[in-house]
Amino acid sequence: MLNWGQSQFGGDSMELAITIFVLNALYISINTFRTMLVVKGHRYLAPIVAVVEELIYVMALAIALQHIDSKLNIAAYAIGFGVGIYIGIIIEDRIALGYVNFQVTVQIDPNNPMHEHSEELPEILREKGYGVTVSHADGRSGPRLVLSILAPRKAERRLMEQIKEISPDAFIMVQEPIELSGGFWSKEVDKRYHKANKNS
């Protein structure tokens, strides 16, 4: 029978509460990260992370259940849960796995200062290492450029800022593709993006 924590700690000790908090925060952060891996289709990495996750879960649950009568331990378990979710989101955001596809619609109007550089936007973004496909469209108030831009997800915020600098009123929709095949494919995007931004 598992008896982790039974002999090492007293039922109401602060040391035990901290142990429960740390283990549960660690478990939930890994659980959150693993869930995001599953959603993004990382079919090999997700099971490996799940093994570590469950080992920590068994230890945390065994200790918590042996001392469930303590309000301090219950609070530590609950707070660890919330903190773990936050940490998991931060970890995934920092690692930023995968790619994003921006669909950007900009108005073409050389006589309007807000739109005078719209036609230059595709080439400016290509020089910064992004894969850009351009098509022309007609909107209610005139011609438009529709850009499909593939970028590493870690570049999402920077790309958004760069588009807004050139075309402040651009309509931007961001999607996260699950699979990429053919065309200006992912490894080439990574290589060109890092080459263009290595000194920035």
Side-chain angles (χ1 to χ4, degrees):
M1 180 179 177
L2 294 173
N3 61 353
W4 294 320
Q6 196 163 20
S7 59
Q8 293 93 330
F9 308 105
D12 294 305
S13 74
M14 181 59 68
E15 187 178 356
L16 174 58
I18 292 172
T19 300
I20 292 172
F21 167 80
V22 170
L23 284 174
N24 203 36
L26 186 59
Y27 158 65
I28 295 298
S29 63
I30 295 175
N31 175 272
T32 303
F33 179 59
R34 190 261 306 160
T35 301
M36 292 179 180
L37 289 177
V38 172
V39 171
K40 295 176 189 299
H42 293 271
R43 63 188 68 182
Y44 300 113
L45 182 57
I48 295 172
V49 174
V51 172
V52 178
E53 170 195 338
E54 287 306 304
L55 286 173
I56 297 171
Y57 172 72
V58 169
M59 288 189 290
L61 188 63
I63 294 173
L65 289 178
Q66 288 171 10
H67 303 282
I68 199 68
D69 56 333
S70 168
K71 293 181 180 179
L72 178 62
N73 295 340
I74 294 173
Y77 190 87
I79 295 171
F81 192 98
V83 171
I85 290 177
Y86 177 77
I87 293 173
I89 293 172
I90 294 297
I91 291 172
E92 202 281 332
D93 189 56
R94 292 292 176 87
I95 295 175
L97 297 169
Y99 301 86
V100 287
N101 187 71
F102 277 60
Q103 182 173 303
V104 182
T105 304
V106 294
Q107 186 172 345
I108 304 172
D109 186 358
N111 299 318
N112 187 329
M114 187 175 289
H115 306 137
E116 61 182 344
H117 298 296
S118 293
E119 290 185 280
E120 303 169 17
L121 181 60
E123 198 55 42
I124 292 172
L125 294 177
R126 286 175 182 140
E127 290 174 359
K128 295 181 181 296
Y130 303 107
V132 183
T133 300
V134 182
S135 57
H136 293 265
D138 290 315
R140 183 174 183 179
S141 56
R144 301 278 197 276
L145 281 182
V146 180
L147 283 61
S148 179
I149 307 166
L150 181 65
R153 200 165 69 81
K154 62 177 68 73
E156 182 176 348
R157 291 192 183 94
R158 176 184 287 190
L159 177 54
M160 183 74 74
E161 292 169 359
Q162 290 168 336
I163 294 170
K164 289 295 186 181
E165 285 176 7
I166 301 166
S167 187
D169 66 340
F171 175 75
I172 303 172
M173 182 169 61
V174 183
Q175 298 173 317
E176 197 167 332
I178 300 299
E179 291 189 24
L180 299 171
S181 177
F184 193 80
W185 47 291
S186 57
K187 289 184 180 178
E188 185 66 20
V189 169
D190 264 338
K191 185 166 63 177
R192 289 188 57 173
Y193 173 77
H194 288 299
K195 182 178 180 181
N197 294 277
K198 62 182 179 181
N199 295 322
S200 60

